């Protein structure tokens, strides 16, 4: 049918868009920005315990919601492209869970429920840390970064055994 063909063509175009190097780079940038925002929030909560989001950190919360909207849009596009096969990819399932937790967090904060007041809310708050796992996705997106990490891993193994050998030689000598 014409409708099925149009949908298939649209899915292919969206898939090309999602797999485009520039799109992956932009999503990687948003993941990195979100990572930095989580670090800033965690640092702020450690330095000023009990203080909610003040006016100085309102921009941080707003940027987190923008990141969540971008993650949600990407998730919706992936669901459109993958259809019933969506759940077969680990990153898709992880992304869906992270976006669901983020949306729940947004709804509860808009409802005025303090995040630390309920036990289940604390669990959801901890689940937000799963967003940090999205940084690992950068390793699969950026080939150069993945190669660099692999090379560093190989160097650490060599450095470790060199240190052991030097320790043994210095101890015996």
């Amino acid at each position: 049918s014409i409708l099925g063909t149009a949908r298939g063509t649209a899915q292919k175009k969206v898939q090309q868009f999602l797999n485009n190097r520039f799109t992956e780079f932009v999503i990687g940038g948003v993941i990195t920005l979100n990572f930095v925002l989580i670090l800033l929030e965690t640092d702020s909560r450690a330095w000023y315990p009990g203080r909610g989001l003040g006016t100085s950190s309102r921009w941080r919360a707003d940027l987190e919601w923008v990141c969540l909207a971008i993650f949600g849009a990407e998730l919706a596009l992936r669901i459109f492209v993958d259809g019933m096969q969506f759940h077969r990819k680990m990153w898709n399932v992880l992304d869906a869970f992270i976006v669901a937790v983020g949306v729940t967090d947004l709804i509860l904060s808009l409802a005025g429920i303090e995040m630390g007041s309920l036990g289940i809310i604390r669990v959801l708050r901890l689940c937000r840390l799963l967003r940090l796992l999205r940084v690992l996705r950068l390793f699969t997106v950026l080939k150069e970064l993945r190669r660099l990490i692999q090379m560093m891993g190989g160097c650490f193994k060599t450095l470790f055994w060199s240190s052991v050998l030097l320790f043994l030689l210095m101890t015996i000598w």
Side-chain angles (χ1 to χ4, degrees):
S1 79
I2 294 174
L3 187 58
T5 305
R7 179 178 166 88
T9 304
Q11 283 177 319
K12 287 179 185 175
K13 287 187 187 269
V14 171
Q15 185 172 21
Q16 287 173 348
F17 171 75
L18 288 173
N19 294 334
N20 183 337
R21 191 94 168 127
F22 179 75
T23 304
E24 290 177 344
F25 184 74
V26 169
I27 294 296
V30 173
I31 291 170
T32 305
L33 172 66
N34 194 11
F35 177 73
V36 170
L37 291 172
I38 289 173
L39 291 178
L40 288 173
E41 179 189 359
T42 304
D43 188 53
S44 173
R45 288 181 187 274
W47 279 98
Y48 308 104
R51 193 180 112 202
L53 284 175
T55 56
S56 64
S57 62
R58 188 74 236 157
W59 62 271
R60 210 170 43 235
D62 292 343
L63 273 177
E64 280 191 34
W65 300 131
V66 169
C67 289
L68 179 64
I70 292 170
F71 295 153
E74 180 201 14
L75 183 68
L77 290 175
R78 291 207 182 276
I79 290 171
F80 173 71
V81 168
D82 294 337
M84 297 302 287
Q85 304 301 317
F86 175 81
H87 68 282
R88 294 184 187 239
K89 295 178 185 171
M90 182 196 73
W91 285 119
N92 287 348
V93 174
L94 180 65
D95 287 347
F97 181 73
I98 291 169
V99 169
V101 168
V103 169
T104 304
D105 184 23
L106 174 65
I107 290 170
L108 293 174
S109 68
L110 289 176
I113 298 174
E114 179 57 38
M115 296 310 289
S117 63
L118 300 173
I120 190 70
I121 304 305
R122 288 184 184 164
V123 171
L124 286 177
R125 192 94 178 132
L126 287 174
C127 287
R128 287 184 61 216
L129 294 177
L130 287 174
R131 285 193 269 178
L132 298 178
L133 291 177
R134 287 187 67 112
V135 173
L136 295 177
R137 191 169 143 196
L138 284 177
F139 297 148
T140 60
V141 171
L142 304 173
K143 284 191 277 187
E144 297 83 9
L145 183 60
R146 185 176 64 233
R147 285 185 195 141
L148 182 64
I149 297 297
Q150 287 171 343
M151 287 188 294
M152 285 176 55
C155 290
F156 284 131
K157 184 178 176 182
T158 304
L159 283 173
F160 171 75
W161 287 115
S162 299
S163 299
V164 168
L165 179 63
L166 282 174
F167 176 74
L168 290 174
L169 287 174
M170 294 176 80
T171 304
I172 294 172
W173 216 300

